[in-house]
Amino acid sequence: MNQLRTIFDSLTYEHDYHKLIEEFDNAATFDQQNGVFMKLNDLRFSFETALNYARLQHFRNMQDEYYSSEYQKFSQFETTYSKLTGVFYRSLLKAKFRDELENLYGKQLFSLAKIKQNSYSEDIEEELQKENRLIADYQSLLGKSVIQYDNQTFSLSSITPYLSSSDRNTRRKAHLAKTAFFMEHENELDDILDELVITRNQIAEKLGMTSFIQLGYNRMNRTGHTPEDLKQYRKQVARHGIPFVAKLRDKQAKRIGVSKLKYFDENCLFPEGAPAPKGSHKDILSTFKMMFDELGPETKDFFHELTSKNNMDLAFREGKWGGNFATFVGEDKSPFLFTNFHGISNDIRVFTHEAGHAFQFFMSRHWNIPEYLLPYDSAEVFSFAMERIAWPWMNQFFGEETEKYQLAHLTTAFTYMPLASAVDEFEHFLYEQPQVSTSDRKKMWRDLEQKYMPERDYDGNEFLKSGTGFYEIAHLFTTPFYFMDYDLAHYCSVQIWALHQKNPSKAWKTYLNMCRIGGSQPFHELIKNAGLLSPFEENSVKVLLSDVEEWIETAGD
């Protein structure tokens, strides 16, 4: 990737933005208004790609002071950018040629404009800056983590392989070492979350909303599903998902040879450990190239762009942020993959996951509309579906252990399901009752763990039993209400997987079309038009679980 320094003049940007808005409002013909509309989106992307670049470079080396300050500068401008976006939305809704614009670009942008036009006010600028600063504090705290284990120093990312070691005592001690890090920073984490909850509700109240929940849904671009829909889904999880997961956990305990699973056993699915990918880093990339070449011409072009522009940073190293994500940078909105390989099976899953995001960016950028390139309400559908479409190539990575990888991959989607419901219900509690004490929050989290994950045994770890297990769930701090989207996406992607088992060509065409559509349709329309069941339909979870159970029984243990 070209290491150009970011250059950004906020005053010039604002001037150019308002000038284009004036031209848009005063356009005399549709062609004129559409032309200015496209220029506005170019200008919007110029900031978003610059922000993405500054964030990316900061995360690639969190010790680099230049990019730390650059990222901070762009983060501070986000409040002004939100204000400008609100101006854009209001102009869009009263556009002289709105009908023609809707016919050309679809109704979703206008639906989003309607719910998001009032998401910014000058009155909340101070609170928005505070929210961004608190998020950065959380990311920095975890990104610079120091964990002492076995006379060595690790980060939250680098200790990962030990947490699921085939040796039970090793993983138990690794989990205790990780717990010690969170114990050391308990007060800081409590304070960050408390201030985030208070600040976010202050923002919502200043915008005329009763709580942050409505604003949180608006931020996630949810123009279709509501809190009631999510509540109904959680009821299905409680009715059908929890008993199904209990059976999976029983099988797991027998498989790894323990009488009862402890919390440190949950990520150990096989007695000899998880299957490891074969070959070197270079071999793995060569196999991915083969996979994308064979999938179709679109994925072939996509992977060529990634490699020719060196738009991948995959290996773990000291100073690098420990997470995984896909983003887009540059004038051509070129996708970029950021991961942390550790030589474990999850490397392969993470790569296919982030490649799914990046491929959707690649296929949706033809819209040249930021909301359509990054569709918050359905983004995870594309990533999880790519994970499952990649199954036929897993034998190239895992050889004779392929079925083990596939069994783990499929079952972990459903062991995740109760956790997602617990997080979602916890988030609603946080913002419905922002005034509750830190201890009450921890009690609620522990109650939800026992409700949705009754089999979880903390083996005398009093710190986790006290309700602190949510500290490492970054989305609670950084992007509230996003976490459940992972589970809804699992639900949809497993349907694509089931279709792929029977008709690979049809499944691929379905996925490809969804990627082209991107964010131009809301979640409920996207999955309906793809022929997928909605997770909000009564008994839909039960129907899906029957297909999965059949495969698991066939695969055996």
Side-chain angles (χ1 to χ4, degrees):
M1 181 177 178
N2 192 357
Q3 299 297 310
L4 292 174
R5 294 304 198 187
T6 55
I7 300 173
F8 183 76
D9 184 333
S10 59
L11 293 177
T12 301
Y13 187 88
E14 287 188 71
H15 174 269
D16 292 346
Y17 203 109
H18 284 296
K19 186 173 181 292
L20 285 174
I21 288 291
E22 184 178 355
E23 291 178 18
F24 182 84
D25 290 343
N26 295 325
T29 67
F30 167 65
D31 285 342
Q32 284 181 352
Q33 192 162 63
N34 185 45
V36 180
F37 173 79
M38 290 189 285
K39 289 180 181 177
L40 273 164
N41 281 318
D42 286 339
L43 187 62
R44 296 170 71 211
F45 269 121
S46 72
F47 171 72
E48 295 197 13
T49 54
L51 171 64
N52 289 346
Y53 183 79
R55 180 191 294 115
L56 175 65
Q57 297 302 343
H58 172 55
F59 283 173
R60 294 179 83 180
N61 181 5
M62 298 191 75
Q63 311 302 325
D64 186 318
E65 292 183 4
Y66 176 81
Y67 277 113
S68 177
S69 64
E70 282 289 281
Y71 178 42
Q72 185 177 27
K73 182 179 75 173
F74 278 98
S75 295
Q76 289 172 347
F77 187 76
E78 277 191 282
T79 56
T80 302
Y81 183 68
S82 295
K83 176 177 67 176
L84 294 172
T85 304
V87 172
F88 169 73
Y89 286 149
R90 286 188 284 277
S91 286
L92 198 62
L93 291 172
K94 60 183 176 64
K96 190 181 301 182
F97 301 99
R98 175 173 169 172
D99 289 345
E100 290 88 341
L101 289 168
E102 283 192 8
N103 287 336
L104 189 59
Y105 299 108
K107 295 181 181 295
Q108 175 66 351
L109 181 60
F110 296 85
S111 298
L112 290 170
K114 186 176 180 181
I115 67 169
K116 299 185 80 165
Q117 62 175 317
N118 296 319
S119 293
Y120 178 83
S121 159
E122 290 186 358
D123 293 340
I124 66 169
E125 192 160 320
E126 185 178 335
E127 286 83 0
L128 284 174
Q129 289 181 353
K130 183 177 181 181
E131 181 187 14
N132 287 335
R133 187 174 67 252
L134 289 165
I135 290 170
D137 288 346
Y138 174 81
Q139 291 173 328
S140 179
L141 180 63
L142 269 63
K144 297 177 181 178
S145 57
V146 175
I147 298 174
Q148 300 299 329
Y149 168 70
D150 198 24
N151 297 318
Q152 298 180 67
T153 299
F154 296 89
S155 67
L156 282 170
S157 178
S158 61
I159 201 170
T160 299
Y162 299 91
L163 298 173
S164 56
S165 168
S166 58
D167 180 74
R168 198 180 198 198
N169 194 44
T170 295
R171 59 181 182 263
R172 182 185 66 82
K173 290 193 296 183
H175 275 273
L176 289 173
K178 187 176 82 166
T179 296
F181 166 78
F182 286 106
M183 286 179 68
E184 181 184 352
H185 297 284
E186 179 178 10
N187 291 336
E188 293 167 83
L189 291 161
D190 285 340
D191 289 345
I192 290 172
L193 183 61
D194 189 58
E195 289 192 63
L196 278 170
V197 170
I198 292 170
T199 302
R200 284 169 176 154
N201 267 311
Q202 287 173 343
I203 292 170
E205 287 168 9
K206 285 189 174 183
L207 292 173
M209 303 176 191
T210 55
S211 79
F212 176 75
I213 293 173
Q214 182 184 346
L215 179 58
Y217 273 53
N218 290 354
R219 286 181 175 183
M220 291 296 105
N221 291 3
R222 291 179 179 173
T223 59
H225 50 290
T226 66
E228 186 60 31
D229 289 326
L230 272 299
K231 185 177 180 180
Q232 292 304 316
Y233 177 72
R234 295 197 304 267
K235 286 182 179 178
Q236 287 199 71
V237 171
R239 189 181 312 124
H240 304 297
I242 293 174
F244 179 70
V245 170
K247 288 194 286 186
L248 293 179
R249 291 299 192 194
D250 284 344
K251 284 177 174 286
Q252 179 185 353
K254 292 174 183 175
R255 191 186 312 125
I256 67 173
V258 299
S259 57
K260 189 177 191 308
L261 284 180
K262 305 294 185 180
Y263 76 103
F264 50 79
D265 295 320
E266 290 180 359
N267 291 324
C268 180
L269 299 179
F270 304 100
E272 64 278 16
K278 315 297 181 187
S280 66
H281 183 93
K282 185 178 179 180
D283 294 333
I284 287 171
L285 285 181
S286 294
T287 302
F288 274 124
K289 180 184 183 303
M290 178 187 70
M291 182 186 94
F292 286 119
D293 282 354
E294 293 178 0
L295 261 173
E298 298 86 357
T299 46
K300 182 177 181 179
D301 290 345
F302 158 72
F303 197 73
H304 174 73
E305 182 168 321
L306 284 178
T307 53
S308 64
K309 295 188 176 183
N310 198 25
N311 276 9
M312 293 186 285
D313 187 345
L314 306 178
F316 166 79
R317 62 180 176 274
E318 293 299 327
K320 181 180 177 182
W321 185 66
N324 309 283
F325 63 90
T327 189
F328 52 91
V329 293
E331 290 185 9
D332 56 356
K333 300 171 279 292
S334 191
F336 192 105
L337 297 187
F338 180 103
T339 69
N340 279 275
F341 279 8
H342 293 289
I344 58 177
S345 62
N346 198 46
D347 294 348
I348 307 303
R349 187 201 67 78
V350 165
F351 187 95
T352 55
H353 181 95
E354 301 306 339
H357 281 304
F359 181 65
Q360 181 261 307
F361 299 161
F362 179 83
M363 294 297 293
S364 301
R365 64 185 176 183
H366 66 92
W367 290 105
N368 200 41
I369 296 174
E371 291 82 358
Y372 289 3
L373 191 146
L374 183 55
Y376 278 105
D377 65 335
S378 58
E380 299 302 330
V381 174
F382 304 103
S383 53
F384 283 118
M386 180 63 85
E387 289 184 31
R388 306 194 184 287
I389 286 169
W391 267 32
W393 288 269
M394 289 303 103
N395 65 315
Q396 301 295 322
F397 297 104
F398 298 106
E400 68 280 1
E401 293 189 302
T402 298
E403 194 169 88
K404 282 173 60 179
Y405 171 82
Q406 292 173 334
L407 177 64
H409 187 218
L410 189 59
T411 57
T412 50
F414 292 96
T415 55
Y416 179 93
M417 179 186 280
L419 173 63
S421 285
V423 170
D424 191 61
E425 190 167 334
F426 186 58
E427 286 177 317
H428 284 83
F429 166 78
L430 287 177
Y431 296 104
E432 284 170 355
Q433 301 188 47
Q435 75 289 347
V436 302
S437 66
T438 295
S439 59
D440 284 340
R441 285 180 187 144
K442 291 174 180 175
K443 182 180 182 303
M444 172 57 79
W445 175 253
R446 185 65 186 125
D447 288 346
L448 290 171
E449 281 187 316
Q450 292 173 320
K451 173 182 177 180
Y452 288 104
M453 296 165 281
E455 74 284 350
R456 176 164 287 177
D457 183 342
Y458 278 125
D459 190 45
N461 188 323
E462 296 301 325
F463 182 71
L464 292 176
K465 284 174 69 176
S466 70
T468 58
F470 64 84
Y471 285 163
E472 63 180 302
I473 302 174
H475 294 76
L476 281 168
F477 295 81
T478 62
T479 44
F481 299 108
Y482 194 109
F483 201 80
M484 177 56 97
D485 285 357
Y486 289 112
D487 194 37
L488 299 179
H490 273 309
Y491 174 89
C492 297
S493 70
V494 172
Q495 292 183 70
I496 294 174
W497 163 83
L499 177 60
H500 199 271
Q501 298 292 299
K502 301 169 185 174
N503 191 332
S505 176
K506 184 178 179 181
W508 176 244
K509 287 177 182 177
T510 297
Y511 176 71
L512 202 58
N513 189 51
M514 291 172 74
C515 288
R516 289 193 183 100
I517 291 168
S520 66
Q521 293 177 3
F523 174 79
H524 63 284
E525 284 184 20
L526 179 74
I527 61 174
K528 180 180 179 182
N529 292 335
L532 304 178
L533 284 173
S534 167
F536 310 127
E537 293 176 28
E538 186 66 26
N539 288 322
S540 59
V541 171
K542 183 180 180 181
V543 172
L544 183 66
L545 291 178
S546 63
D547 284 342
V548 175
E549 196 160 22
E550 181 180 343
W551 187 91
I552 291 173
E553 291 300 327
T554 302
D557 276 353

